[in-house]
Amino acid sequence: MTDTLTVEPEAAPGRPAQRRSPRALPRFIAKKVLITVGLLLGVTVMTFTLVQLVPGDPSLTNLSETAQQNPEIVAAYKAKWGMDKPLPVQYLTYLDNLAHGDLGVSQSTGNPVLTELGKYVPATMELAIPALVLSLLISLVLGTWAAVRKDRAADHTIRAAALTGLSTPSFWLAIVVLYLFFYKLGWFPNGGRMSTVYRPPDHITGLYTVDSLLAGRTILFRDVVWHLVLPVVVLTALTVSVLIRFVRSAMLEVLDQDYIKAAYAKGLPGRIVLVRHVLRAGLVQIITVGGLALASLLSGTVLIEQIYSWPGLGQYAYRAALNLDLPAIMGVGLFVALVYILVNLAIDILYGVIDPRIRVS
């Protein structure tokens, strides 16, 4: 990401500073979009190739044992899904369908993959977005506090807590939290997006919290939030453990700069120095890690979704892999790649917004 961005050199003494072209940012965005298209094309090639290399026959996985014994049924199944054609033809057909917004039809459910992604992705977003927001807020406060209190008791405590979180397996933490707050205390439900006594809200965004509010069903909204608490807490704890170390490191680097020391030497209040100078400079690195954390959360957290019976993208990908559902696997792979590419594009653009020294080369 940083290879496309440069820090403008300071103007030489006696020479005017270089004028910034107003078209630099639009050119940069257009260039990134073209690169994104090329990357997506490369992703389709890699995904298609890797799926073909997976051992096993999808027809044997999806057909019953009786049907597997009948060569005509097996041949008809392969002909239906185009598996009897040469691989280049299959790939070109896939690309043609993709260009028309068709990700194919799931071999295990018979539903369009795009429709199924539209059902499972919002469920994952409903977990990922609050988890990321909470993680950024907590890690910014604790990471900055640890940097300011370097080598003191607060710093050691926060670093030890972060290291403990990094060393804790996600499935173990999820099970312990579920056991404590559901089984022992009975404060929260054991999983799912909502209680079975309620009818799901009408599909508008796919986010139950938003759709229930739009429908004016506040009781359902509270029930959905109640089901969100435990998985969001687990995801937040795991993400904070990663982010807090980067925040501390970024803040320490900024605090060591001469202009920060000069600001303190001039007698500026510490709160103003932190908010106006330290946080702003440190955000460049934090955004990079935060963006990757968001992409990771949106890609699906299989274990967390499995433990909390959350019908998200992770569970969908898991079932697709078990059934060798090739269109579904390729659809998930393409979506995950698209998330990472778009997040990286957003990070590149935010660099220039946050740090005025950074301009498009």
Side-chain angles (χ1 to χ4, degrees):
M1 288 175 288
T2 53
D3 56 340
T4 56
L5 296 171
T6 58
V7 178
E8 283 188 351
E10 296 181 356
R15 297 180 59 184
Q18 185 180 1
R19 296 186 61 183
R20 298 163 184 166
S21 171
R23 298 179 179 177
L25 187 58
R27 280 203 303 265
F28 166 70
I29 295 176
K31 180 181 177 182
K32 293 296 293 185
V33 170
L34 289 176
I35 293 175
T36 299
V37 174
L39 287 174
L40 285 175
L41 187 62
V43 167
T44 61
V45 175
M46 291 187 62
T47 306
F48 183 83
T49 305
L50 290 175
V51 167
Q52 301 304 321
L53 293 176
V54 173
D57 189 339
S59 61
L60 299 181
T61 306
N62 290 278
L63 292 175
S64 65
E65 293 185 3
T66 305
Q68 293 175 18
Q69 305 303 321
N70 190 329
E72 293 182 356
I73 294 178
V74 174
Y77 181 88
K78 291 183 176 180
K80 177 182 178 181
W81 298 107
M83 290 185 292
D84 57 340
K85 298 176 182 177
L87 289 180
V89 176
Q90 292 184 38
Y91 175 69
L92 292 177
T93 303
Y94 175 71
L95 276 187
D96 182 60
N97 293 334
L98 197 61
H100 293 85
D102 183 5
L103 293 179
V105 177
S106 170
Q107 295 172 349
S108 56
T109 65
N111 297 321
V113 173
L114 191 59
T115 302
E116 295 196 331
L117 288 178
K119 174 184 174 184
Y120 288 98
V121 169
T124 297
M125 289 177 62
E126 203 151 40
L127 285 181
I129 293 175
L132 181 72
V133 172
L134 289 174
S135 301
L136 286 176
L137 291 176
I138 296 173
S139 58
L140 269 177
V141 173
L142 295 182
T144 305
W145 183 251
V148 172
R149 297 289 179 181
K150 182 184 177 185
D151 293 334
R152 298 183 184 177
D155 181 29
H156 292 308
T157 304
I158 294 173
R159 290 169 62 191
L163 186 59
T164 303
L166 283 174
S167 308
T168 304
S170 58
F171 69 90
W172 183 85
L173 180 62
I175 291 174
V176 169
V177 169
L178 185 63
Y179 174 79
L180 180 63
F181 291 99
F182 163 68
Y183 184 73
K184 298 297 289 185
L185 300 176
W187 290 356
F188 296 97
N190 62 342
R193 297 185 70 182
M194 54 180 283
S195 300
T196 54
V197 296
Y198 296 112
R199 177 177 53 84
D202 295 334
H203 185 93
I204 300 176
T205 64
L207 305 173
Y208 280 9
T209 49
V210 177
D211 290 349
S212 58
L213 283 179
L214 292 177
R217 301 173 63 183
T218 54
I219 296 177
L220 176 60
F221 171 77
R222 288 198 293 268
D223 183 75
V224 172
V225 172
W226 190 42
H227 283 75
L228 272 170
V229 171
L230 291 188
V232 167
V233 165
V234 172
L235 287 175
T236 300
L238 296 171
T239 309
V240 163
S241 303
V242 177
L243 291 180
I244 204 168
R245 294 166 60 87
F246 285 94
V247 172
R248 178 183 178 275
S249 175
M251 294 306 169
L252 282 177
E253 184 177 338
V254 177
L255 285 170
D256 198 41
Q257 298 295 316
D258 290 338
Y259 70 94
I260 298 296
K261 297 176 181 176
Y264 279 117
K266 288 170 63 179
L268 287 177
R271 180 173 55 83
I272 294 179
V273 175
L274 277 177
V275 175
R276 292 186 180 179
H277 303 290
V278 178
L279 280 177
R280 185 173 183 178
L283 278 180
V284 175
Q285 298 181 41
I286 297 168
I287 282 179
T288 304
V289 183
L292 294 178
L294 173 63
S296 176
L297 290 170
L298 288 178
S299 303
T301 49
V302 179
L303 292 176
I304 305 300
E305 292 181 358
Q306 189 70 24
I307 291 171
Y308 288 98
S309 303
W310 196 266
L313 188 66
Q315 281 211 33
Y316 180 66
Y318 175 72
R319 287 199 294 268
L322 282 183
N323 295 323
L324 277 182
D325 191 344
L326 301 186
I329 294 173
M330 295 170 71
V332 172
L334 195 62
F335 173 78
V336 171
L338 184 63
V339 167
Y340 273 93
I341 291 171
L342 292 182
V343 167
N344 283 332
L345 175 62
I347 291 172
D348 282 345
I349 296 174
L350 282 176
Y351 279 162
V353 175
I354 292 176
D355 192 341
R357 298 171 303 171
I358 297 179
R359 291 295 181 268
V360 181
S361 63

